[in-house]
Amino acid sequence: MVAGSDDRGLAYALYEIADAIRCGDRTALPGLVVETCESPLVATRSVQKQIFNEDLERVWYEDEAFWHWYFQMLARNRFNNYTLTFGHNTNYKVPPYAWMFEVPEYPEVAVKGLAQSARAENLHKFQKITSLAQEYGLDFTIGLWTQLPVVNERVGLDYGESYVENLPGGVAGGDYCAKGLNRLLQLCPGVTGVQLRMNLESGIPHDKQTDYYKAQFAAIANCGRPVRLDLRYKSLHQETIDLAKDAGLDVTVSTKYWCEHMGLPFHPTWEDKAYAESRYGYGTMLQKDRNYRVIYRLWNSGTTRLLQWGDPEYAARFAESCTLGGGEGFEVFAPLANKGYGNKPGFWGIHADQSLVNYQWEQERYWPFYLSLGRYGYNPQTSKEIWEREFQEQYGSEGKHLAKAVSTASKVLPLITVTCQFSAGGWRLWPEMHPCMHLDAYRAIQPSDYSQFYAIAPFSSRQRWRGEGWASTHSAFVEDLIQGNLNSKWTPIEISRKLEQLANEIEANLVEAKEHQEKGVLDDAEYRGLEIDLRVLMHLARYHAHKKLAATHLEFFRLTNEKGRLPLVWREINSAQQQWQQMADLTEGKYYDNMVFGFSKEHHSDFPDRLHEHIGHWKDRLDEVQADVDFVAELMRNNEVPLETPAEENNFPLTRYPAEEPLSRKPDIQHERIESVAVGEDIVIKAQVNSEEPLRDVSVYLRPMNQTVPWKRIPLESLGGGRYEGRIPAGDISPRFDFLYYLEARVAQGGTFWPHWETETPYVIVKLNPRK
C-alpha cells in the first residue's frame, strides 16, 4: 500500500519507490522497497534563486524543459517551495512589473528598448513557470527585494543605472508598485507567496517603511486569493508586521541563519553585538508573544557558490535547528548563486574544459546539494542508504567512497567560514576563492561564534581593514595561552588539525574510489568534474590549516619578540602558498577564467576601499598569496633570521608552552539535560565531571533566546567525587523567551564544553512553561 496524507505526501512516497527501483538490483525487486512511514520535521523547505543576468539566464529561464526537470528534481528531494527573487543588489528587472505588463494607471512606465510584444512574452513565460511549480506540488514565492531602483543612494549603495523610464518617485512610485503587484498576482495564480526585503537596500528609507508597505499589503490582500507574506527580519519594524496582520495576511518573518554565510549546523552560540539585533541572526524575534511565523534562511550564497556540496549530517542537524523558538522551516540559496552579477552581456559557462560538461543545465551537477538538504531537511532520521545509493547508481559499487568524500569535503567551507569570517556580509567574503586577506590581518580575523572558537589575536577597528569594522572585546588564543588563562574554546591549532584531518579523509576516499573502481566508471565527465572540486576543497583545507599556524606563530612573535617563531611562520606560509598554487594549477583550463559571482571594479555597490572582487579564478589570487610569503621574508631579514633557518632547529630564542599541544583527553562532563521548567522557579544544575588533569573550575552559561543579551556565567560548586552543582535564580530567566544553557569544565591547558559542537547543538534549549 502507498499512501500520503495529501497529494504531495503521496507523490513523495511514489518518488521514493521509483528511486529505490532505479538505484537497486532489479533482479531482487521485492526487497528494494522498504516499509517506511515518514512525515516532515518542518513545514517549509524552500530553495531560492536570484535573477542577475539576461544572457546567462536565457539558457534555463526561457527553457520550459528546464523547469520540468528542475521542479521534478525539487519535488523528488522533498522541497515544497521555490522562491524566484528580483532585485538582489541590482536594478535589473526592478520593478519586475515593468518587464511584464503595462500598469493601466501608469501607461508611461516602460523598460528602455523593450517592445510590448516582448513584455507579453515575458509575462507568458513567468505564468508558465509558476503554473509548472503547481503541477509538481511546489509553492511558488516571488521575492521582491528591491522595490524601487537604488541609484546613488549613498557611497556603498548604488546598483547602477535604472532600466525603467518614467517611473515615478515618492508616494506615486509606491502606488505604481502596489498596483503592479496586485495585477501580477491576479495574472499569475500560480504565485502563492510574496517575499519582501525591508532594509534600505530595498530602495525604501527606514522612516518610510510603514507608509510604503501598507499599500503593498493591501495589494496582496485584495488579489482575490490567499497569498502568504514573508517579511525579512533585517530592519523590520513591529508596526509594519502589525499593518500586515491588520490587512488579514498570514505573516512569516524570515531571518538569516549564520550571517550571510554557510556556518555550522546550529545557530551561533554568541554573535558579535554589531550583528545581533536584527541584522544577521534572530535577535529578539523569538519572543513568546509574537504575531508571526518564523523561518530561517541559510545564506549559503556567501560561501558555497561554485564548488559541489552535499552533507546529510549537516542537513539533518540544520533542519533540526530550524525548529528553534517554534521555527517552521528553512530556505537555502540554489548553487551558482550570484552568477553573472551586474548583467554584463555575453554567455559563459563555469567549465572552460568542455570535456567536463556532461549536463544540459549547470544545476544538474549539484544533485548532491539538493539530495542532502532536501531529503534530510524533510526527515533528519532518513537512512544514510538514501545518500549512498545515489552515488552507487552513478559511480558503481565504489560510489560509497565518493559519497563519503563529498560529505567530508562539505565540512571544509563551513569550518573555514566560521573561523575566518572577516565579513558577515557575503559580498566581501567568498571563501571558495579568497585567500582571506594578508597574513598580518588574517591573525586578527575574529570567529563568528565567540563561545566556541578562539581568535588568534584580539581585534580593534583599524585603518585599511577590508572587512567590517567591529571591535571585539573577547580575549584571544595567544595572549590567553601566554598568560595561563586558556578557556575551553577550540584553538587555532585544533582548527588547523581538524582541517588537515578533513583533507586527509577526502584524499583517502578518492584513492579508495580510484583503486577499486569498476572499469571506466570514474573516467566520465561527471566524475572528473567532481574530483576537481573535491581536490580544490582538500587543498583549500590545507591552505587554511597552514595559514592558521603561520598566523599563530606570527602572533607569538608579536607578543614575545622571540625570533625563534619566525622560521615556524616561514615554514607554514610557504606550505600554504604551495596549496594555493596546486589549486590554481588544478583548475587552470578547467574552470572559466573570468567567472563573475559578485562585486568587481567594473560593477560594484560596495564601499570602494573595502572591495573584495568576486570574479576571476584561483590563479588571479596568486599575487595575494605571494605577498604573504614576501611579507614573512622581509620580517625575517629585518630581524636578521636567515631564510634557510630550520623551523625546529635554530639558535634563536623560542619558548614553547605546554598548552600549545591540545589536550589529548579533555574533561568528561555528564549531565542530564533540562528540557522544560516552569516560569518563576529556580533551576538546579547538576553535573558529574571526570578529568585526568586538576579542574580549575566548572561553570554553567545561560542566556534567554535573545541574541542581544550576553551570556551569564555561574560557577558550579564542587560537592566532592567529581560532583558539581549550582542554582540559576528564577530572576535570571526572562518569561518572554525560552532560554539556553551550556556547561564548561576548565583545566590548566584549556577544557571542554558540553554539549559539543562537532556532534550536536552546543547548548541546551529549555522551554518555559506557564506558572502552575
Side-chain angles (χ1 to χ4, degrees):
M1 183 179 73
V2 184
S5 62
D6 55 18
D7 290 348
R8 185 180 283 156
L10 180 58
Y12 291 165
L14 292 170
Y15 279 137
E16 168 54 26
I17 291 172
D19 288 340
I21 294 171
R22 175 177 55 84
C23 296
D25 180 359
R26 298 176 195 179
T27 64
L29 194 58
L32 294 180
V33 179
V34 179
E35 184 174 340
T36 305
C37 181
E38 292 184 282
S39 59
L41 174 69
V42 290
T44 298
R45 305 171 303 281
S46 180
V47 173
Q48 177 169 291
K49 177 65 178 174
Q50 320 99 302
I51 295 294
F52 277 121
N53 190 292
E54 183 176 6
D55 286 347
L56 298 185
E57 288 148 11
R58 184 176 292 116
V59 298
W60 56 269
Y61 184 88
E62 298 184 5
D63 189 341
E64 185 176 327
F66 167 81
W67 292 107
H68 279 282
W69 167 78
Y70 190 67
F71 285 152
Q72 186 190 68
M73 183 272 296
L74 291 182
R76 292 180 88 103
N77 288 310
R78 304 190 184 180
F79 289 98
N80 63 357
N81 185 79
Y82 179 74
T83 299
L84 188 64
T85 298
F86 296 86
H88 181 197
N89 290 39
T90 178
N91 287 330
Y92 173 55
K93 291 197 173 179
V94 174
Y97 328 116
W99 267 263
M100 297 188 196
F101 49 76
E102 179 183 292
V103 175
E105 295 85 351
Y106 296 90
E108 70 282 3
V109 177
V111 177
K112 300 170 186 176
L114 187 68
Q116 288 291 352
S117 59
R119 259 184 169 180
E121 181 62 21
N122 286 342
L123 175 61
H124 173 73
K125 290 170 185 171
F126 187 74
Q127 289 172 322
K128 185 62 178 179
I129 292 168
T130 60
S131 67
L132 285 175
Q134 285 188 318
E135 183 176 326
Y136 287 98
L138 291 161
D139 293 328
F140 187 99
T141 299
I142 183 170
L144 303 169
W145 281 20
T146 301
Q147 297 292 316
L148 295 168
V150 176
V151 181
N152 293 324
E153 183 69 35
R154 58 167 170 76
V155 175
L157 190 59
D158 181 1
Y159 299 162
E161 182 182 359
S162 174
Y163 296 79
V164 179
E165 53 190 2
N166 303 319
L167 183 66
V171 174
D175 185 62
Y176 169 84
C177 288
K179 288 181 168 59
L181 176 56
N182 181 265
R183 183 165 173 76
L184 181 141
L185 293 175
Q186 292 188 36
L187 292 171
C188 304
V191 176
T192 58
V194 175
Q195 185 183 95
L196 302 174
R197 176 163 60 177
M198 310 307 294
N199 65 319
L200 186 60
E201 293 165 319
S202 68
I204 308 303
H206 294 163
D207 61 351
K208 301 295 183 183
Q209 184 180 112
T210 53
D211 295 339
Y212 177 86
Y213 285 106
K214 184 175 182 179
Q216 313 305 311
F217 299 156
I220 299 169
N222 297 326
C223 74
R225 68 181 189 282
V227 173
R228 295 171 292 103
L229 176 63
D230 179 352
L231 302 176
R232 288 182 50 199
Y233 183 47
K234 183 176 178 180
S235 301
L236 174 62
H237 305 328
Q238 179 62 47
E239 183 182 357
T240 306
I241 299 173
D242 295 340
L243 286 173
K245 297 294 291 185
D246 291 344
L249 298 177
D250 183 356
V251 179
T252 293
V253 175
S254 55
T255 192
K256 295 171 184 175
Y257 183 80
W258 197 300
C259 300
E260 291 181 1
H261 295 284
M262 177 180 264
L264 294 170
F266 54 87
H267 298 273
T269 317
W270 193 330
E271 277 204 317
D272 190 279
K273 64 180 181 180
Y275 307 155
E277 187 167 354
S278 72
R279 190 177 176 194
Y280 290 121
Y282 59 80
T284 62
M285 70 182 291
L286 300 181
Q287 67 266 25
K288 289 181 169 295
D289 55 350
R290 63 180 183 260
N291 60 348
Y292 47 84
R293 305 176 189 272
V294 171
I295 67 168
Y296 297 101
R297 180 174 292 111
L298 183 65
W299 213 274
N300 50 296
S301 63
T303 302
T304 56
R305 299 173 186 168
L306 176 63
L307 302 173
Q308 293 202 55
W309 188 95
D311 184 4
E313 179 186 349
Y314 183 106
R317 289 180 58 187
F318 166 66
E320 289 170 343
S321 73
C322 288
T323 65
L324 183 79
E328 298 185 18
F330 60 82
E331 184 165 82
V332 299
F333 282 84
L336 301 181
N338 306 346
K339 184 186 176 188
Y341 179 85
N343 198 27
K344 184 177 181 178
F347 175 80
W348 55 271
I350 58 174
H351 282 130
D353 182 351
Q354 292 303 298
S355 74
L356 299 175
V357 178
N358 71 315
Y359 44 79
Q360 182 175 356
W361 305 291
E362 289 175 332
Q363 289 295 323
E364 292 180 72
R365 76 185 298 262
Y366 296 98
W367 61 264
F369 172 91
Y370 292 104
L371 174 61
S372 58
L373 284 166
R375 286 301 298 267
Y376 296 85
Y378 175 87
N379 175 16
Q381 303 306 314
T382 296
S383 168
K384 288 293 179 65
E385 182 181 341
I386 301 296
W387 173 249
E388 292 176 351
R389 76 184 182 189
E390 292 291 339
F391 283 86
Q392 290 174 325
E393 167 66 11
Q394 184 66 34
Y395 301 112
S397 59
E398 292 312 311
K400 62 183 180 182
H401 293 297
L402 294 178
K404 177 63 175 175
V406 171
S407 59
T408 301
S410 297
K411 292 176 169 57
V412 170
L413 281 167
L415 185 56
I416 290 173
T417 300
V418 164
T419 58
C420 294
Q421 190 175 305
F422 61 80
S423 172
W427 296 106
R428 295 195 199 130
L429 170 61
W430 181 17
E432 289 178 322
M433 194 71 76
H434 285 161
C436 289
M437 297 204 293
H438 188 274
L439 180 64
D440 196 34
Y442 187 94
R443 67 189 175 87
I445 295 174
Q446 300 297 292
S448 51
D449 189 334
Y450 287 117
S451 285
Q452 304 299 325
F453 302 101
Y454 258 124
I456 296 170
F459 181 90
S460 58
S461 294
R462 58 187 66 192
Q463 291 181 344
R464 301 184 66 187
W465 178 260
R466 291 195 293 157
E468 297 189 40
W470 65 72
S472 170
T473 58
H474 297 261
S475 62
F477 166 65
V478 175
E479 64 180 5
D480 273 5
L481 187 150
I482 291 173
Q483 295 168 9
N485 192 36
L486 279 184
N487 60 35
S488 302
K489 300 177 186 181
W490 264 47
T491 71
I493 296 171
E494 289 176 294
I495 297 163
S496 173
R497 292 185 179 186
K498 180 66 176 180
L499 288 168
E500 189 66 48
Q501 175 195 334
L502 292 173
N504 291 341
E505 290 179 11
I506 296 167
E507 189 167 37
N509 278 287
L510 285 173
V511 169
E512 285 289 324
K514 278 283 191 181
E515 288 181 352
H516 299 93
Q517 67 168 306
E518 297 175 3
K519 186 176 181 180
V521 170
L522 301 188
D523 295 330
D524 69 4
E526 180 168 357
Y527 171 75
R528 288 184 291 112
L530 173 63
E531 183 182 16
I532 290 170
D533 282 16
L534 295 178
R535 291 194 179 278
V536 168
L537 289 164
M538 177 186 75
H539 291 305
L540 192 64
R542 288 176 175 155
Y543 167 81
H544 282 280
H546 289 297
K547 191 165 183 175
K548 282 187 185 298
L549 293 181
T552 300
H553 291 303
L554 177 62
E555 180 64 5
F556 272 114
F557 171 73
R558 297 290 191 198
L559 295 183
T560 66
N561 204 32
E562 291 186 337
K563 296 181 181 181
R565 290 285 173 178
L566 292 179
L568 300 176
V569 180
W570 179 244
R571 178 188 66 189
E572 299 299 338
I573 204 59
N574 275 280
S575 296
Q577 182 195 41
Q578 292 167 16
Q579 295 300 320
W580 198 276
Q581 183 67 60
Q582 290 183 69
M583 278 190 284
D585 294 343
L586 180 66
T587 54
E588 173 73 34
K590 305 301 183 184
Y591 275 108
Y592 183 60
D593 277 354
N594 191 31
M595 295 180 286
V596 177
F597 283 94
F599 293 156
S600 67
K601 292 183 177 70
E602 177 183 358
H603 190 110
H604 68 86
S605 58
D606 198 6
F607 294 92
D609 60 345
R610 299 186 198 170
L611 177 65
H612 286 261
E613 292 197 288
H614 290 224
I615 62 171
H617 189 276
W618 287 271
K619 63 184 178 182
D620 299 328
R621 277 74 182 175
L622 286 170
D623 287 347
E624 289 184 57
V625 177
Q626 180 63 45
D628 283 341
V629 176
D630 295 342
F631 164 74
V632 178
E634 182 179 6
L635 193 62
M636 294 180 73
R637 285 193 292 269
N638 291 342
N639 284 275
E640 300 179 335
V641 179
L643 297 182
E644 298 77 16
T645 302
E648 298 288 1
E649 302 173 12
N650 62 79
N651 297 320
F652 295 99
L654 176 60
T655 302
R656 299 306 294 257
Y657 299 84
E660 286 185 64
E661 182 65 28
L663 288 168
S664 58
R665 296 191 63 179
K666 295 186 177 184
D668 174 60
I669 300 176
Q670 299 175 30
H671 167 72
E672 185 174 347
R673 64 182 64 213
I674 299 168
E675 297 183 349
S676 64
V677 296
V679 173
E681 292 184 358
D682 290 356
I683 302 169
V684 177
I685 300 290
K686 298 180 180 180
Q688 177 73 34
V689 183
N690 301 314
S691 176
E692 294 180 354
E693 301 288 332
L695 286 164
R696 294 168 59 189
D697 53 60
V698 178
S699 306
V700 60
Y701 294 79
L702 70 144
R703 193 201 72 191
M705 203 176 288
N706 175 353
Q707 289 180 315
T708 68
V709 176
W711 288 84
K712 181 175 182 179
R713 176 177 173 268
I714 298 177
L716 301 186
E717 181 182 354
S718 174
L719 303 180
R723 294 180 299 120
Y724 286 81
E725 186 174 300
R727 183 177 298 272
I728 300 175
D732 287 345
I733 302 171
S734 168
R736 293 189 61 213
F737 298 90
D738 292 336
F739 77 96
L740 316 171
Y741 76 91
Y742 64 92
L743 304 178
E744 180 186 30
R746 293 201 303 168
V747 296
Q749 291 176 250
T752 192
F753 292 124
W754 180 94
H756 196 277
W757 68 267
E758 279 193 285
T759 55
E760 58 185 321
T761 297
Y763 42 81
V764 179
I765 302 163
V766 183
K767 295 186 179 298
L768 289 184
N769 299 321
R771 190 191 305 269
K772 297 179 180 178

